[in-house]
Amino acid sequence: ARYANVYRTKANVTVSLNELQQLEKRFNPLAHHQQQGIEIFYALKTAQLVVSQMLNELHSLGAHYLADE
């Protein structure tokens, strides 16, 4: 996700989460079974969980900086 990096804001993380959710809606893992479609689907789900947790984190952690803290 383009905005879910070391320097982030809640607005950018929200954009990233929305983009990941839209990708999941458009992606059919069974149609892409020859190209590891199930693994790609699970990677999308994992990315959504990580980005979703970023929204729940209220403080900067280590090198990760929350700009609107």
Side-chain angles (χ1 to χ4, degrees), residues 1 7 27 30 34 42-43 45 51 54 62 67-69:
Y7 177 79
F27 185 74
L30 297 178
Q34 294 291 333
Y42 286 133
K45 293 303 284 183
V51 172
M54 287 178 184
D68 37 21
E69 179 176 28

Side-chain angles (χ1 to χ4, degrees), residues 32-48:
H32 297 91
H33 69 278
Q34 294 291 333
Q35 295 84 23
Q36 292 83 25
I38 298 298
E39 289 86 354
I40 294 168
F41 178 79
Y42 286 133
L44 279 171
K45 293 303 284 183
T46 301
Q48 286 178 39

Side-chain angles (χ1 to χ4, degrees), residues 13-61:
V13 174
T14 301
V15 168
S16 293
L17 184 58
N18 289 336
E19 287 177 357
L20 288 166
Q21 290 169 339
Q22 292 304 314
L23 280 172
E24 180 190 353
K25 287 178 184 177
R26 293 191 320 249
F27 185 74
N28 180 354
L30 297 178
H32 297 91
H33 69 278
Q34 294 291 333
Q35 295 84 23
Q36 292 83 25
I38 298 298
E39 289 86 354
I40 294 168
F41 178 79
Y42 286 133
L44 279 171
K45 293 303 284 183
T46 301
Q48 286 178 39
L49 290 170
V50 170
V51 172
S52 179
Q53 182 56 34
M54 287 178 184
L55 283 173
N56 294 328
E57 192 58 53
L58 301 177
H59 305 288
S60 298
L61 294 172

